[in-house]
Each structure stands twice: as structure tokens, then as C-alpha cells.
Amino acid sequence: MPGRIIACFLLLMAGANGQTQLHYERVVEGKIRERFEMVHPEMEERYRRLKAMFENAGCTGDRLSEQPVRREKYPNLVCVLPGETEEEYLVGAHFDYFRGEGALDNWSGASLLPSLYESLAKTQRKHTFRFVAFTAEEKGLVGSRFYAERVKKGTLPRPKAMINLDCLGLGQPNLWFSGGDLALNNRIHSLAVKLQIKLSLVDIGRVGTTDSESFRKIGVPAATVHSVTQETLNIINSDNDTREKLKFGDYYDTYRLLALTLASLDVLPVTFPAAGK
Ligand SMILES: [Zn+2]
């Protein structure tokens, strides 16, 4: 793409065998903003644009597929970055919405998926990363439940963990602490400290639910990054959910934190409690 400059980001982190390099290609601010600004109120257009953005990010051919979901007009959109092994991480964000433009909830999350793919894709990764834009979250986690049921049946690979993005950019990133796996939360938190990004622990369990729950239900460790606070709660699921509400600096910080988190999960695996459910 003309004018696209991707800077390389490198961080050294202490691992079991000394220093480990965490590396990703940083997508520039203009591109992240442009993808967010592609938000559209019509679902048809929303879906079409998201697909085009994945393709623009290099997720083409058999890397990009649709997963039709029973009784839903729009499928889950799945972009896979194959790794050296079939062990995989899943990154999810719903692309449907309820009110306003659905800009913060959750175009902010869905439109970041292509950029996260792009951030990892230039380097051969050990793990496979699967980026899934989920349909019909607002109707009751329909798309993610459909996906998770197939994981449970064994017709789709079981991810080592799921990272869920919902409602980003209202402010600094938050972790849904009680709705996430402790080891995964700790990893994200320690990377935020390294990047000097303020990451707060804000529970959203009393005000709603989100796609990570579909995975936790089948025993897949998950974490949810969001940005909702008491002060911004009124924007979500209201006509105020428009693109002007985005705090771009915080949104870009959230992108940097997520890209680094994925790069770290690839080379410094998290030890999860034994899955049992
Ligand atoms: Zn949402």
C-alpha cells in the first residue's frame, strides 16, 4: 500500500533461558486510525469492509474464511496466521453492534484484528494465531458460542487461550480481571508496565458479558481487554456510541499492548492451570 510505513518494534524480556526478543511490526498510527474510521452503520457494509481490511493486511486466499453461523445472516470471519506448530492462540472481537454507530462497541475491537495480524505476519511464529471477528455477540454471544461448541466437539482446534477485545479506545485499556485467567491477566499487566501504559482492572461482569465467556465455558483460558469505566459506561449501547468518542492516543496504546502481548505469548508461553472442563 502506498505510504504505509511499518516500524519494527523490539523488546527484550527475561525468559527462562535468559533474554528473549519480543518482536512485531508496528502498524503506524495513520493506518490504525484509517481502519477505525471505516466504521459503518449498515451490517452488510461493516462485514464487507472488515473482510477487505483483512485482505489489505495480507490475510488472503485460504488464510481468510467465513464460518457460517446457524440462523445468522452474517458469518464469523476467520483469519489464520499459520505457525510452525498447530498449537494456537485465538484473538476475537465481535463486529455486530447494538446502538449508535457501534464505533466503540465494537468496531474498535474488530477493526484492530487486521492490524494485529499484520503486526505478527512478517515473522515466522511458533504458534498459529487465529483472528476471529464474531457475529451476533449482542444477541447473546451467538457467534462465539457457535465457534466454541465446535472446539468442544473437536471439529475446530482448541486454542491454548483466547484474547477478547471489546469496547476499546474510550480511554486507557482495562482488563476484565475477574472474567479472565489469572496467568494471562498477569502477562498482559506486566507488559503494560514495561510499555508504561496504565492498565486498570475494571470488572464488567455486573453490566454485561462478552465473547470470552463462550470460551471460558469450555475450559479455554481467556482474557478480555476493554476500556469501559463507570464514567464511559453510558456511551456503550447508546446513541452516543459514535466515532468521535474514540480517544486515539489511548486506542493506539491499546494496540501496542495487544501486539506485544501476542508476540510474547508466542515465545514465552503462559503456564495455565490444567484444563478440565
Ligand atoms: Zn461489545
Side-chain angles (χ1 to χ4, degrees), residues 194-215:
K194 282 217 177 286
L195 293 176
Q196 298 184 304
I197 292 172
K198 185 169 176 282
L199 179 79
S200 303
L201 310 178
V202 178
D203 280 346
I204 53 169
R206 275 197 293 170
V207 295
T209 182
T210 179
D211 289 321
S212 52
E213 287 298 285
S214 302
F215 288 85

Side-chain angles (χ1 to χ4, degrees), residues 125-143:
R125 305 289 170 179
K126 286 184 191 152
H127 291 81
T128 293
F129 286 85
R130 206 173 292 259
F131 300 88
V132 187
F134 288 114
T135 192
E137 189 264 2
E138 303 285 359
K139 286 189 196 167
L141 318 183
V142 176

Side-chain angles (χ1 to χ4, degrees), residues 65-187:
S65 64
E66 298 180 345
Q67 179 188 40
V69 173
R70 201 172 38 230
R71 287 195 288 275
E72 288 304 320
K73 183 170 178 192
Y74 298 100
N76 291 330
L77 188 56
V78 183
C79 159
V80 63
L81 176 62
E84 281 167 9
T85 69
E86 286 177 2
E87 288 203 309
E88 71 170 64
Y89 285 104
L90 191 148
V91 188
H94 73 88
F95 68 94
D96 65 317
Y97 76 107
F98 183 51
R99 294 274 294 276
E101 282 189 306
L104 280 301
D105 186 9
N106 183 31
W107 190 253
S108 62
S111 72
L112 214 49
L113 296 174
S115 297
L116 291 170
Y117 169 87
E118 203 171 351
S119 303
L120 297 185
K122 286 254 170 66
T123 309
Q124 175 68 59
R125 305 289 170 179
K126 286 184 191 152
H127 291 81
T128 293
F129 286 85
R130 206 173 292 259
F131 300 88
V132 187
F134 288 114
T135 192
E137 189 264 2
E138 303 285 359
K139 286 189 196 167
L141 318 183
V142 176
S144 59
R145 270 198 288 129
F146 187 87
Y147 189 103
E149 278 163 20
R150 266 121 205 102
V151 171
K152 197 176 172 192
K153 282 183 195 154
T155 54
L156 279 173
R158 174 171 285 265
K160 281 170 97 168
M162 188 263 189
I163 311 285
N164 181 46
L165 322 178
D166 202 348
C167 298
L168 306 178
L170 285 158
Q172 288 168 325
N174 300 325
L175 266 179
W176 180 19
F177 195 71
S178 65
D181 172 83
L182 184 62
L184 203 51
N185 281 342
N186 283 341
R187 169 63 59 83

Side-chain angles (χ1 to χ4, degrees), residues 226-272:
H226 67 97
S227 64
V228 182
T229 62
Q230 204 60 44
E231 290 71 42
T232 55
L233 187 57
N234 63 336
I235 294 174
I236 300 306
N237 291 336
S238 84
D239 292 340
N240 295 324
D241 183 355
T242 57
R243 66 191 77 190
E244 297 78 31
K245 300 294 186 304
L246 185 82
K247 295 207 167 112
F248 185 76
D250 291 331
Y251 184 54
Y252 196 71
D253 281 351
T254 308
Y255 155 68
R256 293 194 297 128
L257 175 59
L258 289 166
L260 189 62
T261 297
L262 301 182
S264 93
L265 289 174
D266 191 44
V267 290
L268 297 170
V270 171
T271 306
F272 297 109

Side-chain angles (χ1 to χ4, degrees), residues 27-100:
V27 177
V28 293
E29 292 187 9
K31 193 77 200 170
I32 299 284
R33 191 189 288 275
E34 186 188 307
R35 285 178 173 152
F36 173 75
E37 293 283 341
M38 294 291 276
V39 63
H40 197 280
E42 283 167 28
M43 276 302 293
E44 185 80 39
E45 190 56 22
R46 227 170 153 89
Y47 180 72
R48 198 190 65 77
R49 290 184 179 197
L50 190 56
K51 201 172 169 186
M53 284 174 5
F54 269 121
E55 285 165 350
N56 171 271
C59 192
T60 54
D62 57 10
R63 288 190 175 190
L64 188 61
S65 64
E66 298 180 345
Q67 179 188 40
V69 173
R70 201 172 38 230
R71 287 195 288 275
E72 288 304 320
K73 183 170 178 192
Y74 298 100
N76 291 330
L77 188 56
V78 183
C79 159
V80 63
L81 176 62
E84 281 167 9
T85 69
E86 286 177 2
E87 288 203 309
E88 71 170 64
Y89 285 104
L90 191 148
V91 188
H94 73 88
F95 68 94
D96 65 317
Y97 76 107
F98 183 51
R99 294 274 294 276

